[in-house]
Amino acid sequence: MKVNQFPDRIIEIDQEQYLYFGGTAYLGLSTHKAFQELVIKNIQRWGTTYGSSRNANIKLTAYDDGEAFLAQHIKAESAVTVSSGMLAGKIVLDELNKETDCYFHFPNTHPAIKTSNSLPLFIEGKINSRLLSIEKEKITILTDGVPSYQTKAIDLSVLKEVSKNKEITLVVDESHSLGILGENGSGIYSEIELPIKRKILVSSLGKAFGLTGGIIASDTSFINQIKKLDTFISAAGMNPAFVQTLAEASEIYKTQHQKLLENLIYIDSKLIKNENIKFDKTYPLIYIEIESITEILKANNIIIANFRYQENSKDINRIVITANHKKEDLDKIISVLNEYNSRLQ
């Protein structure tokens, strides 16, 4: 299906209007008037793009402002922006390759932080025995903040079982938790308290935060290492107008985050949950295991997200709630889901 305007809460397909519950604009910022005005103002100040290296002799204060906001928001020592979340993941792996003896990954980790030589953290439901061995190693563990098909933050408590002879670096892709989970949408980074050497956040900013770009956050020493990488030096940075907007939109982020939470609490009070419908009141996705659900909803003038991340993986049917959805939107989709769900009982 092709549309000729941004798919917000309502989209038009073949001259017919549908409620839209897809995409990743969780805070509804892409069409938020005050947010748009901030972006336009900063484009007028910083231009539409800036193709120079971040290491050039001319330095833009936009990066200082935006990255300081991000570090404070996430509660990290330091943060740096890049042009995309995918690049953020790849740059981090490039640096960690120099000091990692072995990688391990949680199930369904996003391709942004996947590496071909990584081993599964779990084998047949149990922790990989290599993680329990007495051999001294520097290991890196890769995970999403909220795994695909899940509606809660990743449970990292299993890392307490890892042998003390392993020096652990943890990389968390927060593309679908930053801006959503935590205080004012700070994500899960600051809540991770584990016996590890280092934790690193990577994330897209093009989802909840509504701006094309990516972020890496960690301790200051690691961020300084990233800034010395050839890939970082030779690549153009994130659009400076967008980075400046990050610094100036903090109150809008708070307001939209609160609206999103209110929508989720409302859904939780009315939606019938069971094994067919996976939902948690702190997270804006509903995963559906009802056959032909996309056709059922479309017949009721509702479009949801339907796709697959990787070849040979199963289709994902997910309903995305945003801060822009109105109570009548929520009532309609809840009514349809409850009706068809009850028929399966």
Side-chain angles (χ1 to χ4, degrees):
M1 291 176 283
K2 293 184 179 181
V3 297
N4 59 11
Q5 61 188 30
F6 183 82
D8 193 25
R9 53 173 285 272
I10 293 177
I11 60 175
E12 189 172 294
I13 300 171
D14 298 329
Q15 299 181 321
E16 188 171 3
Q17 287 194 337
Y18 293 80
L19 286 176
Y20 184 57
F21 288 88
T24 58
Y26 303 116
L27 298 184
L29 294 169
S30 299
T31 58
H32 188 285
K33 186 176 180 181
F35 188 76
Q36 289 178 335
E37 288 172 353
L38 267 183
V39 174
I40 291 166
K41 181 197 76 170
N42 282 313
I43 286 174
Q44 290 172 336
R45 177 182 177 186
W46 294 106
T48 58
T49 188
Y50 187 70
S52 179
S53 168
R54 290 285 303 273
N55 274 31
N57 58 318
I58 300 299
K59 315 268 186 210
L60 306 188
T61 59
Y63 294 109
D64 299 330
D65 296 342
E67 289 166 359
F69 161 75
L70 288 169
Q72 182 182 36
H73 186 73
I74 294 164
K75 301 180 179 67
E77 280 188 15
S78 189
V80 66
T81 54
V82 292
S83 59
S84 74
M86 185 67 76
L87 182 60
K90 297 308 179 187
I91 286 180
V92 165
L93 293 180
D94 282 350
E95 181 60 24
L96 292 178
N97 284 338
K98 302 173 185 176
E99 53 192 67
T100 298
D101 296 319
C102 187
Y103 288 96
F104 295 86
H105 59 272
F106 275 80
N108 299 316
T109 298
H110 192 276
I113 54 169
K114 269 193 173 179
T115 181
S116 59
N117 58 345
S118 180
L119 303 176
L121 189 81
F122 298 105
I123 297 177
E124 296 181 351
K126 295 182 179 180
I127 189 170
N128 192 316
S129 60
R130 181 165 172 171
L131 290 165
L132 307 176
S133 72
I134 61 172
E135 179 185 359
K136 289 190 175 182
E137 289 182 297
K138 294 180 178 180
I139 66 170
T140 295
I141 295 176
L142 310 169
T143 185
D144 291 350
V146 179
S148 297
Y149 314 108
Q150 301 300 317
T151 58
K152 293 184 179 180
I154 188 74
D155 181 0
L156 297 170
S157 60
V158 66
L159 301 189
K160 296 176 183 178
E161 301 176 29
V162 176
S163 167
K164 290 182 173 58
N165 290 324
K166 311 298 183 186
E167 185 179 274
I168 302 173
T169 294
L170 175 67
V171 179
V172 183
D173 185 336
E174 288 221 50
S175 296
H176 294 279
S177 52
L178 183 61
I180 301 167
L181 298 180
E183 183 183 1
N184 293 320
S186 61
I188 68 170
Y189 177 90
S190 65
E191 300 171 2
I192 298 172
E193 297 291 343
L194 292 165
I196 59 178
K197 175 195 173 188
R198 168 174 282 154
K199 56 183 178 179
I200 302 166
L201 173 152
V202 301
S203 179
S204 166
L205 295 168
K207 302 185 190 312
F209 278 82
L211 296 162
T212 302
I215 176 183
I216 304 164
S218 188
D219 56 88
T220 302
S221 176
F222 183 75
I223 296 303
N224 286 339
Q225 288 174 231
I226 292 294
K227 291 179 179 179
K228 294 175 183 176
L229 278 175
D230 288 346
T231 305
F232 179 82
I233 293 170
S234 60
M238 182 177 169
N239 186 320
F242 292 173
V243 183
Q244 186 72 54
T245 300
L246 287 166
E248 298 175 2
S250 60
E251 290 306 312
I252 296 176
Y253 288 133
K254 288 180 184 177
T255 300
Q256 292 301 102
H257 182 253
Q258 184 58 39
K259 287 181 179 178
L260 177 61
L261 293 183
E262 289 170 3
N263 278 348
L264 299 180
I265 292 168
Y266 184 78
I267 291 171
D268 188 62
S269 70
K270 295 195 169 189
L271 181 67
I272 299 171
K273 281 88 70 178
N274 56 30
E275 67 274 8
N276 302 314
I277 296 181
K278 186 183 294 183
F279 172 72
D280 184 90
K281 64 181 178 181
T282 64
Y283 198 64
L285 298 185
I286 305 174
Y287 285 99
I288 309 295
E289 295 290 342
I290 298 175
E291 189 175 352
S292 303
I293 187 61
T294 55
E295 290 81 6
I296 292 168
L297 289 168
K298 188 177 180 183
N300 286 273
N301 285 70
I302 298 171
I303 302 293
I304 66 169
N306 171 257
F307 64 98
R308 61 181 61 183
Y309 264 127
Q310 301 168 49
E311 190 177 357
N312 300 323
S313 65
K314 68 176 183 179
D315 281 2
I316 296 176
N317 291 318
R318 72 184 185 195
I319 293 168
V320 181
I321 312 303
T322 77
N324 284 354
H325 282 120
K326 298 182 178 181
K327 291 294 186 291
E328 55 261 37
D329 305 338
L330 304 180
D331 283 336
K332 182 167 183 179
I333 197 164
I334 290 168
S335 174
V336 175
L337 290 176
N338 283 349
E339 178 185 350
Y340 280 89
N341 196 20
S342 64
R343 293 182 186 180
L344 300 175
Q345 304 309 305

